[in-house]
Every structure is written in structure tokens, then in C-alpha cells.
Amino acid sequence: MKRRHFLATVAPAALAIMIAGPALADAMADAKAVVAKYATKVDKWDGPTSGPKAAAGKSVVIVAADMKNGGILGVVNGIQEAAKAIGWKVNVLDSAGSIEGRTAAFGQALTLKPNGIIIAGFDAVEQKPSMAEAKKAGIPMVAWHAAPAVGPVEDVGVFANVTTDAMQVSKAAADYAYVDAGGKPGVVIFTDSTYAIAIAKADKMKAEIEALGGKVLEYVDTPIAETSQRMPQLTTTLLQKYGAKWTHSLAINDIYFDFMGPSLSAAGIAGDGAPKSVAAGDGSESAYQRIRAKQYQSVTVAEPLNLQGWQLVDELNRAFSGEKWSGYVSPLHVVTVENVEFDGGPKNTFDPDNGYRNEYKKIWGK
């Protein structure tokens, strides 16, 4: 009774602070826990340990969205490494960053009549007619970042879409910005509406920042393929518009930060100054270099690109054998200047020290 009387006599504003205080403390503790969880070493194999032996003598075509994209390049390198280990022939077709290029490359892939097709870095639904043709011809397809979710994309014939949990990647990036800003981030989010997965990731970052009580200053939709032309002037414009309110940049890919540095430097901002850049994927070589040098990028929530290349080959091998996809969701890693040397860091990539190459070779009988 006394407690009810006390609360009734407290001013509404003061009562709100009393209630919000513990909630804000809990939010900060939860965000710190997320960042800490994904910033640790990845040294235990949690992927498949059984599966079909290697199908012999297969030929595979990779249809890559844009080999200038560090994430796609890393995955393609992993596919080529795994294909050599399993004994397959690989042909890489670079679509050079345009829808027209991807349509032409997919047409070329079909002309080559491969045993399997690997889609790297673009939405499966974009090339639905070509994919329907591949499905009709009985050509198994696996993909990297072809849909927001991990696993089969049955309506377009993708046996397995390989990616980390995109929503966890986005949450980890947003949580880092929240913690780093002391609970008061002012963020600009960069995405590309050409890709469903990019919109899903950006929307998740926006929702997370706002749920934590931070502010999204602007949600910028600008094409990944045009970052080199657009980002320098866009950065300058955003600095003029928001000034010190802009504490962090959140982007769905490291490539946005490849072209921000000169504009930030010209504005007198130090390499480790605000706005700090945080990428929700993919862990490119240039991102690692910027983080290590403290030059205009603080974090990348990296994907294990090389491992994902091996997983794509393993999933395609399962498709050839008529088995189900493995169900494996690859790990993510919050890369900071403090842990940049973990798990492949000296090679400027997130390459988990969990023995995945040997694990896949054992499955394949190699």
C-alpha cells in the first residue's frame, strides 16, 4: 500500500526515468554481450561430419555478380580451392555489377551445359527465367547471398543458399554502434534495394538502433555497383547535413567504406574519428586493412568467405547425390582492432581456425 502511494505521488517524468534506467542498463548489457559473443575465436568445427563421397569429374560454372566486390571474390576463391580438392572443373563468369551482365552471364552458363551452377552475390528471383531453364534442364544450383534466408529457395530451384544468419550479422553491427556511442548513436545506414538481402539487413539495423533508443539520421539507398562514383560526394553532403550528430555509419557491405576515407580526411576527421564505419558484412581484405590501420573503419561483421566457398561445393555435391542440404549455418565474426589477428586476420580475411578444410575432405573421401 505504501509503495502504491509513493508511485502515485512521483512526477510522471521522474517516474519514467526510474523505469527507463534499469531498462537502458539492461539494453547496454545485452548489446555488449552480443558483441562479445561474436568477437571471440572460432576454433571448433560445428558443421557437417557426414555426407556423400565426392561425385567424380563434375564441371561447375560460377555466375558472379561482380568480382570487384571483395565478398564475392573471397567466396569464389574458396569455391576454386574446394573444387580443386574434390576434383572438379570450375569456370567463373563475371557479370561486372549489372543486371544485364548477370542475364548475359547466366545465358552463357546455360550454353556451357555444366553439371552444376553456383550463383554468387545476387538475388535468385532477378534471374528467374534463366533459373527456370536451368531447373528444366536438371542442372542443380546452389547460391551465396541469393536470398535473405539460409537453405533451399525452392521456387527458383536453388538447392541451398549459403550465408551467415543475416539478421544476427545486422544485429551485431547495430549493437556495436550502440555500445560504442555510449547508448546514444546517430547513424546513417547504407543499403542497395536491388538486393532483398540488403534491404532485410538494413531494415534490421534500423529496427535494432531504434529499439535501443538510438537515432537513425538517414537511410540511404545507393547501388553497390556505383559506390566509387557516389560515395565521395555523398559522404561530404551527409557531413554538411548532420555534423557531429553523425556518430556511426552502418552499411550492408564493406564496399561502401572503400570510397569514404578521402572525403572524411578532407573534412579534417581522423582515421579513428566519428563518424565511425561499421559494416554488416562481408569482411573484405580492404576492410581488414582499414581496421588494422585505424583508417576510417572500426568494424566489419565478417563472414567466413573461404569456408562458405567450401560449403557451396559440399552442398552441390549433396545435390548431385540426391541428398538433402547439410543444414549448416556458417559462423560470423565481429572484427575489431583488438581481435583483427584472430582466425585468418594476418591474411586479411575471416578464415576460422576450426579445421573445416579437413572436415570437408573427410566427408568427400579425399
Side-chain angles (χ1 to χ4, degrees):
M1 198 72 180
K2 288 181 179 179
R3 177 173 172 79
R4 189 179 299 132
H5 175 74
F6 167 73
L7 289 175
T9 59
V10 174
L15 182 58
I17 292 171
M18 289 169 60
I19 295 170
L24 290 173
D26 288 347
M28 179 61 74
D30 290 347
K32 284 182 177 179
V34 168
V35 173
K37 174 184 176 181
Y38 293 120
T40 55
K41 290 182 179 179
V42 181
D43 54 7
K44 292 181 176 60
W45 176 241
D46 61 350
T49 55
S50 63
K53 298 302 179 187
K58 298 296 184 181
S59 66
V60 176
V61 172
I62 303 170
V63 182
D66 189 353
M67 290 292 283
K68 296 190 298 295
N69 183 307
I72 293 169
L73 176 62
V75 170
V76 170
N77 287 341
I79 294 168
Q80 291 174 319
E81 182 182 272
K84 184 177 180 181
I86 203 170
W88 295 352
K89 180 183 176 183
V90 174
N91 194 340
V92 183
L93 304 179
D94 184 3
S95 304
S98 72
I99 294 174
E100 296 79 7
R102 292 190 284 274
T103 301
F106 218 120
Q108 186 181 350
L110 292 168
T111 301
L112 291 170
K113 300 187 186 313
N115 298 115
I117 293 174
I118 301 178
I119 297 159
F122 61 89
D123 276 2
V125 293
E126 177 197 285
Q127 298 297 325
K128 199 167 184 177
S130 294
M131 296 187 71
E133 195 175 335
K135 188 177 179 182
K136 185 178 178 182
I139 303 172
M141 293 176 285
V142 297
W144 180 78
H145 284 204
V150 187
V153 190
E154 293 176 359
D155 59 331
V156 287
V158 171
F159 177 79
N161 179 51
V162 171
T163 178
T164 50
D165 184 332
M167 297 303 96
Q168 282 300 317
V169 169
S170 300
K171 178 176 170 57
D175 286 356
Y176 178 90
Y178 174 77
V179 170
D180 194 56
K184 297 180 179 180
V187 307
V188 174
I189 296 173
F190 298 94
T191 190
D192 182 351
S193 60
T194 306
Y195 306 99
I197 192 170
I199 291 298
K201 287 167 72 173
D203 286 351
K204 175 64 175 178
M205 288 190 284
K206 182 176 185 291
E208 182 72 5
I209 289 291
E210 291 176 342
L212 290 167
K215 187 170 182 60
V216 177
L217 301 173
E218 197 158 327
Y219 185 104
V220 181
D221 179 6
T222 188
I224 284 175
E226 298 176 17
T227 48
S228 60
Q229 301 100 309
R230 294 189 178 211
M231 288 306 294
Q233 182 55 52
L234 184 54
T235 302
T236 300
T237 300
L238 290 166
L239 283 171
Q240 292 169 346
K241 187 174 182 179
Y242 296 112
K245 293 179 183 177
W246 184 12
T247 68
H248 290 78
S249 301
L250 292 172
I252 54 92
N253 192 288
D254 294 303
I255 198 168
Y256 286 96
F257 304 140
D258 286 354
F259 308 101
M260 287 182 72
S263 298
L264 295 171
S265 178
I269 296 169
D272 58 353
K276 296 181 179 179
S277 297
V278 180
D282 298 316
S284 68
E285 181 175 348
S286 58
Y288 267 79
Q289 290 170 340
R290 283 191 294 271
I291 290 167
R292 182 180 286 107
K294 299 182 181 180
Q295 288 296 303
Y296 304 109
Q297 186 163 352
S298 298
V299 167
T300 183
V301 184
E303 298 194 60
L305 303 172
N306 203 78
L307 183 160
Q308 288 173 331
W310 280 70
Q311 184 185 352
L312 285 161
V313 169
D314 182 66
E315 300 294 359
L316 197 52
N317 191 54
R318 291 168 191 269
F320 290 148
S321 301
E323 298 200 10
K324 292 181 179 179
W325 83 290
S326 71
Y328 181 48
V329 181
S330 52
L332 58 96
H333 189 39
V334 174
V335 181
T336 67
V337 71
E338 288 80 18
N339 70 3
V340 72
E341 302 305 332
F342 290 2
D343 290 314
K347 295 180 180 177
N348 294 317
T349 186
F350 171 39
D351 196 24
D353 190 19
N354 61 4
Y356 67 87
R357 293 173 177 85
N358 287 333
E359 294 292 340
Y360 277 123
K361 286 178 184 178
K362 280 192 284 186
I363 292 172
W364 302 336
K366 294 292 182 178

